[in-house]
Amino acid sequence: PTVRTVVHEMLKSLGFSVLIAKDGVEAVESFRQRADEITLVLLDLAMPRMGGEETLEALREIKGGVTVVLSSGYDEQETVAGFGDRGPDGFIHKPYRLAPLRDVLREVLES
């Protein structure tokens, strides 16, 4: 909960409207209800009830072109390689810092 709150505040400070989900199941349900409004998903690899890989797959089934930035404390190359050709659009290493988060989000949104 504390990490979600901090990231929420970071994203708001960057000008984003933010929806928060406590796990993959809640994220997919929220996304299903508001997919047309959501520009980008910041997705943690390790979540309860439904992990990042399964959640990403479910999000892409709902809206194939959704922009997803994966976050993890693990190595980027190893983490992203596990997704194959349906991987995320970007990656950010945890713990987050504001400037790198801003840069990754800007990069994926401008591409």
Side-chain angles (χ1 to χ4, degrees):
T2 303
V3 173
R4 285 193 303 270
T5 300
V6 170
V7 173
H8 178 260
E9 293 304 314
M10 291 171 79
L11 292 169
K12 281 179 45 179
S13 78
L14 294 171
F16 289 94
S17 297
V18 182
L19 299 171
I20 296 177
K22 66 182 176 203
D23 58 45
V25 173
E26 188 176 296
V28 170
E29 184 54 35
S30 180
F31 188 78
R32 186 181 322 280
Q33 293 173 9
R34 301 179 75 175
D36 291 339
E37 302 169 44
I38 297 172
T39 305
L40 180 139
V41 175
L42 179 59
L43 179 64
D44 197 327
L45 179 65
M47 296 181 296
R49 298 200 309 160
M50 181 186 289
E53 290 182 51
E54 188 178 359
T55 301
L56 177 57
E57 185 175 316
L59 297 176
R60 293 258 167 92
E61 286 177 13
I62 296 166
K63 183 178 176 182
V66 62
T67 300
V68 177
V69 173
L70 184 68
S71 71
S72 175
Y74 297 109
D75 177 72
E76 176 180 1
Q77 299 304 320
E78 292 176 20
T79 302
V80 173
F83 284 86
D85 62 348
R86 290 184 48 97
D89 301 289
F91 181 89
I92 184 141
H93 198 269
K94 295 190 301 186
Y96 306 126
R97 290 189 332 250
L98 187 59
L101 178 61
R102 179 198 62 226
D103 294 346
V104 167
L105 298 179
R106 181 180 295 149
E107 181 180 322
V108 298
L109 289 172
E110 290 178 354
S111 62

